[in-house]
Amino acid sequence: MSGTENERNRADAVYAALLERQGEQWVQPRIERTRRVLELLDDPQRTYRVVHVTGTNGKTSTSRLIESLLRTMGLRTGLFTSPHLERFTERIMVDGEPIADAAVVEAWDEILPFVELVDAELIAEGGARLTFFEVLTVLAFVAFSDAPVDVAVIEVGMGGEWDSTNTADGDVAVIAPVGMDHADRLGDTIEKIARVKAGIIKQDAAVVSAAQESEVDRVLREAAAARGATIAVEGTDFALRSYRLAVGGQLLDVQGLAGEYAELYLPLYGEHQGRNAALAIAAVESLIGAGSQALAPDVVTDGLGQATSPGRLQLVGAHPTVVVDAAHNPHGATALVEALRGAFDFDEWGIVLGVLGDKDAQGIVAALAPVAAHVFATAPDSERANDADTIADLVEAQGLRVTVHTDLADAAEAARQWAAASDRRAVVIAGSVVLAGEALALAEAEAWKDGWSA
């Protein structure tokens, strides 16, 4: 949804005002501040149904798949995800499109007096103003109420229990695969992390979970039982029965909670995306029919067939082939390697790699090592980024060939030139959502899909 130049400028000014606040990486275990603003606004997050999505990997893709299925059913949808790849309005989607600039400004004008009131209260108590993510969450919830939407699919920012998004009461809590990530914030064991993520489970809600490690599964089941919630788990209650390559994606057979869905085309690569699709189907079955009513075949076919997940195994270049994937932790990097092996037929992969400083760079490098013929180390355009030399040292420790590049443009140029030397070579850009966003913009600006030109 685009608007006039003036509307775009005003929306960009809203984003600039958000950036003046403490950033997304500044997270504290509390939701009371966000709840206070929402109460002053008469709790807009309670004017629509909510599907709340957490996990370590696959949250965004699963959220987008759920939203696409719901929209195909004729429901007006909201989708809140983070971070964005190119422009912040991508984070707040209404009916499958980034929120209109005019709607951003309208929602901002609506919430600002209450945000400033709570800021003043916090400062009077010796505290700091509301953070970027706290205010952005409020903005999204108000925008969805103003639209208005029938259902909002809300992706957790970090963790779950004390995340700002947990001020919404999820009718369905969706738990994507849980692994070790943000250990300094969420806990140093998988059980501790699982408990924080289980915090999105509300009283009498429905829980739909991907297959989990035994420790995580136990935590989720205990949390569901304590809150009178039902729980359905991949592999027991629903499953991806089969997947096979197709042009531009894959064909799936899915056993849902209430129905069987065959020959589903999904325009995304990788078995993990097929499993995300199964999780999404089960989540929608839980929301619409409490898991006892199958979805209409055309809803599932069209909902998955039109789904997108930018920056997740996204093909952005041809001759040579270039793929972009966020893969910002070891679990995501492992899924990327499996997908590259399963969905593409190349002998050698050049990896353009940039990782943020708060991520497990060593684990990411180790996970990518099996397919890395040459690593082009660089740094995302972020003050939080690991420098390229640090990444190169980790790559060298794996015994891999590596070169160091000052920025993404330089790394991508070198990688594409390397790959162009053989039709058995391809490039993947990975390691950070920030880097993925840069890559999408660069690919479009330089028309990589038109092929290599020396």
Side-chain angles (χ1 to χ4, degrees):
M1 295 181 184
S2 59
T4 65
E5 182 178 355
N6 180 59
E7 288 171 341
R8 184 181 178 91
N9 290 338
R10 292 183 67 193
D12 287 343
V14 170
Y15 184 53
L18 289 168
L19 290 175
E20 292 174 358
R21 296 176 175 271
Q22 290 176 306
E24 290 179 273
Q25 70 274 20
W26 197 88
V27 178
Q28 294 293 317
R30 63 182 179 216
I31 60 172
E32 294 79 10
R33 294 152 52 109
T34 309
R35 183 175 287 127
R36 169 69 174 146
V37 185
L38 291 168
E39 286 173 347
L40 292 171
L41 288 160
D42 292 329
D43 287 319
Q45 78 282 11
R46 294 194 174 133
T47 61
Y48 37 80
R49 301 191 73 187
V50 170
V51 179
H52 204 180
V53 185
T54 190
T56 303
N57 287 285
K59 296 190 302 294
T60 302
S61 293
T62 302
S63 296
R64 295 179 71 94
L65 289 163
I66 292 169
E67 185 277 334
S68 185
L69 288 165
L70 291 169
R71 180 160 35 89
T72 303
M73 298 179 72
L75 296 169
R76 188 170 172 93
T77 58
L79 175 65
F80 183 49
T81 59
S82 60
H84 61 273
L85 290 169
E86 297 183 65
R87 189 163 184 256
F88 84 102
T89 51
E90 299 166 18
R91 297 174 180 238
I92 306 172
M93 308 277 282
V94 176
D95 273 347
E97 297 289 340
I99 186 171
D101 292 327
V104 171
V105 175
E106 182 179 348
W108 178 254
D109 289 344
E110 187 175 344
I111 72 172
L112 187 58
F114 301 100
V115 168
E116 291 177 337
L117 175 60
V118 174
D119 280 343
E121 292 174 353
L122 294 169
I123 292 170
E125 295 169 358
R129 295 193 306 164
L130 293 156
T131 67
F132 173 100
F133 192 72
E134 287 171 334
V135 178
L136 183 66
T137 300
V138 173
L139 181 72
F141 287 174
V142 167
F144 292 154
S145 181
D146 288 346
V149 303
D150 300 308
V151 184
V153 183
I154 308 294
E155 178 190 354
V156 165
M158 182 184 294
E161 180 179 9
W162 38 259
D163 187 75
S164 293
T165 63
N166 206 29
T167 49
D169 294 328
D171 299 88
V172 180
V174 180
I175 320 292
V178 175
M180 293 296 297
D181 197 21
H182 298 296
D184 57 329
R185 311 285 180 86
L186 305 181
D188 57 3
T189 68
I190 196 75
E191 294 93 336
K192 291 178 181 178
I193 292 174
R195 288 191 193 99
V196 175
K197 295 184 184 296
I200 72 166
I201 300 172
K202 299 300 195 299
Q203 190 69 34
D204 301 324
V207 182
V208 180
S209 174
Q212 307 285 359
E213 295 182 28
S214 59
E215 299 93 334
V216 176
D217 184 77
R218 176 178 52 79
V219 169
L220 297 180
R221 290 182 185 278
E222 289 175 353
R227 294 159 204 168
T230 62
I231 183 166
V233 178
E234 179 192 2
T236 302
D237 303 293
F238 65 93
L240 173 64
R241 292 299 187 198
S242 68
Y243 68 99
R244 50 209 176 277
L245 289 178
V247 176
Q250 55 189 309
L251 288 175
L252 313 176
D253 291 334
V254 173
Q255 173 63 60
L257 296 176
E260 294 187 9
Y261 310 95
E263 297 289 308
L264 300 173
Y265 176 69
L266 180 68
L268 304 174
Y269 295 104
E271 179 187 1
H272 64 291
Q273 292 289 20
R275 295 176 67 177
N276 289 340
L279 183 61
I281 288 170
V284 175
E285 287 178 321
S286 295
L287 180 72
I288 302 303
S292 62
Q293 179 181 336
L295 305 179
D298 60 333
V299 164
V300 184
T301 298
D302 294 345
L304 296 188
Q306 67 185 7
T308 62
S309 193
R312 275 74 180 176
L313 266 178
Q314 183 174 353
L315 186 66
V316 299
H319 312 298
T321 293
V322 182
V323 176
V324 173
D325 193 86
H328 61 277
N329 56 39
H331 189 283
T334 298
L336 171 59
V337 167
E338 292 173 353
L340 293 179
R341 285 171 164 168
F344 298 93
D345 182 25
F346 292 102
D347 296 332
E348 295 184 295
W349 284 93
I351 300 180
V352 177
L353 185 63
V355 184
L356 295 183
D358 60 349
K359 298 296 182 179
D360 180 4
Q362 183 174 4
I364 292 170
V365 170
L368 293 174
V371 297
H374 186 139
V375 176
F376 302 83
T378 187
D381 184 14
S382 168
E383 60 184 19
R384 298 162 52 204
N386 269 307
D387 63 76
D389 287 327
T390 297
I391 300 302
D393 289 343
L394 295 173
V395 174
E396 285 184 339
Q398 290 285 332
L400 301 172
R401 184 182 179 192
V402 61
T403 49
V404 177
H405 303 269
T406 55
D407 56 27
L408 173 62
D410 181 54
E413 177 76 6
R416 293 177 70 232
Q417 187 169 4
W418 170 86
S422 169
D423 61 6
R424 302 304 300 161
R425 290 178 173 178
V427 176
V428 59
I429 301 174
S432 163
V433 177
V434 176
L435 192 73
E438 291 181 64
L440 295 184
L442 185 64
E444 182 176 358
E446 297 191 358
W448 288 354
K449 285 192 174 180
D450 292 341
W452 173 261
S453 58

